[in-house]
Every structure is written in structure tokens, then in C-alpha cells.
Amino acid sequence: MSTFALGGDLRVNRIGFGTMRLAAPPEPGTDPGMGHIWRAPADRDAAVAVLRRAVELGANLIDTADSYALGENEELVAAALRPYREDVVVATKVGVVRPGPLEWVPLGHPAYLRQQAELSLRRLGLDRIDLLQLHRIDPNVPLADQIGALKQLVDEGKVRHIGLSEASVAQLREAAAITPIASVQNLYNLGDRHHEDVVDYAAAQGIAFIPFFPVAMGAHAAPDGPVAAVAAEVGATPAQTALAWLLRRSPTVLPIPGTTSLAHLEENLAAARVTLNDEQFERLSAVAPPVVAA
């Protein structure tokens, strides 16, 4: 795998593992997309096996959040990976509360962010979090106050690097004026490219761009579509081709595909060995012209 120095000093392989989908199936009547990130998986051993296999295969950037299964996801990461291998980088997120299975509410009060970071440290079994990301920017709290709370954690030695999630270029610039920003985690994939300007800004600044839902392909996914055609040409699966496109898109892009399947895990991580030529990359890029974020 090609690598990237996250924050300038944490060398990670460019395909990591997102743990959000290591959760129980959706409860009856809930949104199957996000409503099921509420409880820990019933088959804990299977989830532990997936996490351990991910690291064995080279996924050494592990992404979680305090809001996934109300903290049980972080506990699962610790159960699977402690004692952590020296090269494993654990990223978590704070700044969202979960009053119910379908609710994701930004909460950026500085005291709350600091409290949640303390709880994440305990659940993960860490003395210092490698990458702490602001899960969502709370519009009701000045961004400077939210970033200031995370900076305080860095100053106290409890956090190594700070990141943002679903942030604009303007917000990244505002945050970077307060403290170094190591990453931004936004929705981005072949089928949804409205954060093109953030991808380019992150590349120019040496900031990791961590796309979530990285395998989604939108209109590209038709059986006779461009992804299938390019996949056949390079001897890869459509999912691998979509990930290879992300890796080619920018040298600071770090996809974190998640899965509960060992087979899909191996498929996803093998995408690091898929190479697209210029024409194949441009063909995939041209199908759905990017929409520049306001």
C-alpha cells in the first residue's frame, strides 16, 4: 500500500478501516442507512475478528466515534486491538449526541467536547488519542470555541492531532488559524463529489481527506456503466475500482471503507493494488461532473 504521513508524523497506509458498520442490524421501523448505528453487534466475536483482520492486512488507520453505538463501538475497537500495535493510528470523533436511533445532533459546547474526549480515552484504553475529529460543527457555538476545546486537549497531551468532519474550505481555514488541522472527513465518492474544492484544498495544504461512504458509486454503478467497464479492463471489482479512483484523485485521500464481512474487507484493501491509467481515471471522472460546494 502507498502511505501518507497523517499530521506529518503518523505514517498510515492509504486505505484504512471505518468501524461505523460494526453495529447491530437496524431496529424495526428505523432508517437502514443510519438508524442502526445504535447498538453494538450481537456477534461481538465476529466484529472483533474483522477488526483484527483489517490490521493484519495493513489497514492501520482505524476510524470510530463516541456516537457509534453510544460509545460501544470504541469499546469494541479496544477489545479487538489492545494492546495496540505501534503502527496503528486510532481516530475518533466527538461533537454529536444521540438522543434516539435516528437522531444525530451536533453539540459543540467546549465542556461537552472535552468530557467526551475523556470518555473516549477511557473506552479506547489510550493515554492519548492519535486523531480527534470534530464530528459535526455546531452552528450554535462559535467554531473558534469548538476548536479551542480540542486545542486544549492537545496542549494537555491527551490528543495528538485534530480533524474536522463535513467542513468547508472556509471552516478549515478558520480552524487552521487557531491550531494545525491534520484531517477533514467529508462525504465523497464517485457518485457524490460536492466537496471537490475541499479535496483540492486538503491536497494543497497536506491535510488528509478522509472520505466516508467511499464505495458509493451512484449512476456509475449500472452493470453496463463506466465502473464495470473499467473494472473489467483492470481485472478488479467495481468496489475496488471506485476505491482506486479515490486513491488516484488526490495523494492525501485516505478512504476508510467499512464492512462486517471478511471477504469484503479483503476485497476493499486489495484496491490499493489496482492502478488506473490516465484515460481510465478521466473516463470515470467525466461521467458525473463535480458540483463545487458553495
Side-chain angles (χ1 to χ4, degrees):
M1 287 189 180
S2 61
T3 64
F4 176 76
L6 182 66
D9 62 352
L10 295 176
R11 181 66 58 178
V12 295
N13 291 320
R14 285 188 60 206
I15 300 183
F17 183 74
T19 66
M20 186 181 75
R21 297 202 175 279
L22 295 181
E27 296 180 355
T30 60
D31 174 7
M34 296 295 285
H36 72 289
I37 318 300
W38 182 243
R39 298 185 185 279
D43 192 343
R44 188 178 179 87
D45 290 343
V48 165
V50 169
L51 276 161
R52 289 177 176 167
R53 183 61 175 153
V55 171
E56 288 172 1
L57 292 172
N60 59 347
L61 172 59
I62 306 299
D63 180 84
T64 181
D66 70 340
S67 57
Y68 298 166
L70 300 181
E72 290 184 277
N73 193 280
E74 291 178 326
E75 293 173 355
L76 184 66
V77 169
L81 302 181
R82 286 186 69 199
Y84 297 100
R85 237 169 53 180
E86 186 176 351
D87 64 330
V88 168
V89 172
V90 177
T92 193
K93 298 180 283 293
V94 296
V96 166
V97 294
R98 300 291 307 280
L102 296 178
E103 297 175 272
W104 301 73
V105 182
L107 181 56
H109 189 286
Y112 176 75
L113 297 178
R114 291 173 53 220
Q115 170 189 280
Q116 293 307 105
E118 294 286 354
L119 291 172
S120 291
L121 283 166
R122 295 183 190 185
R123 287 189 291 256
L124 290 165
L126 291 169
D127 295 322
R128 180 171 65 171
I129 296 168
D130 293 321
L131 176 63
L132 183 64
Q133 303 159 97
L134 184 61
H135 203 160
R136 288 294 184 273
I137 296 171
D138 185 346
N140 298 313
V141 177
L143 179 58
D145 291 351
Q146 298 174 68
I147 298 301
L150 303 189
K151 182 179 183 300
Q152 181 175 346
L153 291 162
V154 173
D155 294 342
E156 293 170 352
K158 296 172 181 176
V159 169
R160 189 165 186 167
H161 294 299
I162 295 170
L164 301 180
S165 184
E166 281 298 278
S168 68
V169 170
Q171 290 166 331
L172 285 170
R173 286 181 174 139
E174 182 181 350
I178 300 167
T179 191
I181 300 300
S183 70
V184 56
Q185 185 172 150
N186 286 8
L187 174 63
Y188 186 77
N189 51 57
L190 263 174
D192 189 330
R193 286 182 260 166
H194 70 279
H195 283 303
E196 289 280 29
D197 60 337
V198 181
V199 176
D200 291 335
Y201 177 80
Q205 300 299 316
I207 295 172
F209 183 96
I210 305 174
F212 63 86
F213 295 142
V215 179
M217 292 173 267
H220 293 66
D224 58 349
V227 175
V230 172
E233 293 168 12
V234 297
T237 67
Q240 289 172 335
T241 303
L243 290 168
W245 180 86
L246 284 170
L247 294 175
R248 175 69 186 269
R249 172 62 182 84
S250 163
T252 75
V253 167
L254 309 178
I256 49 166
T259 181
T260 60
S261 162
L262 287 171
H264 287 161
L265 171 68
E266 296 189 6
E267 175 187 352
N268 290 338
L269 296 180
R273 298 192 293 272
V274 176
T275 300
L276 305 179
N277 63 33
D278 292 345
E279 186 277 331
Q280 290 163 337
F281 175 78
E282 293 300 334
R283 199 189 326 160
L284 291 174
S285 302
V287 174
V291 178
V292 177

